[in-house]
Structure formats: C-alpha cells, structure tokens
Amino acid sequence: MILPDKNITLSNSLIGLGSKILIELSTPQTVSSLWEKVYKRYLEIRTFERFVLTLDLLYIMGLIEFENGIIKRIMK
C-alpha cells in the first residue's frame, strides 16, 4: 500500500499519491481546501482516509508540516 508492487500500481500507492499532493501544495493551504482540490483532480485518492494516510506519510518523511491549521510543503 505504501510502495508499488506487482498488485499495486504507482498511482495507487501512497508514495504515488504523495507526489500528487505535493504538486498541489505549491502554496500553503488548509486541509479542507487541499482535500477539495485533490479529490476533484485525482480519482485514485477515492476516500478521505487514503488522503489522511498520504498526509501522514508525507509528514513522517519530513516533506510537509502543519502549523496553525495550514499545511506547508517543506523545501529541502
């Protein structure tokens, strides 16, 4: 589920979904506005649960941060 394998395509893995979310985070936004954008644009997300799991993965990897209700992409 996190990484693609013979049964899970890259676009359906959390890593693949994370790359799409990072593209949408070119500007800092609230969780709800990001969810609305991503849900309409990428059918692979499908559920809010997958969206949150992907955000969790990006946070653990140190690629995003959450402050005062705003999600920001961390540039390294």
Side-chain angles (χ1 to χ4, degrees):
M1 184 167 156
I2 294 174
L3 297 173
D5 61 17
K6 66 180 184 176
N7 297 315
I8 299 173
T9 62
L10 178 62
S11 62
N12 286 322
S13 67
L14 293 182
I15 291 287
L17 297 176
S19 66
K20 295 173 182 179
I21 288 176
L22 286 175
I23 290 170
E24 296 300 325
L25 274 174
S26 57
T27 60
Q29 350 184 359
T30 63
V31 174
S32 58
S33 66
L34 180 61
W35 164 245
E36 287 180 26
K37 277 183 171 181
V38 170
Y39 182 72
K40 290 177 184 175
R41 190 165 294 164
Y42 303 108
L43 299 177
E44 301 89 8
I45 297 279
R46 285 186 231 123
T47 65
F48 191 72
E49 180 183 3
R50 285 176 59 91
F51 173 71
V52 170
L53 285 172
T54 306
L55 290 179
D56 288 344
L57 179 67
L58 293 173
Y59 181 79
I60 289 168
M61 294 174 67
L63 299 173
I64 62 172
E65 63 182 19
F66 184 74
E67 283 184 26
N68 300 323
I70 304 291
I71 297 177
K72 299 178 194 175
R73 185 170 72 181
I74 298 174
M75 305 300 275
K76 290 185 179 182

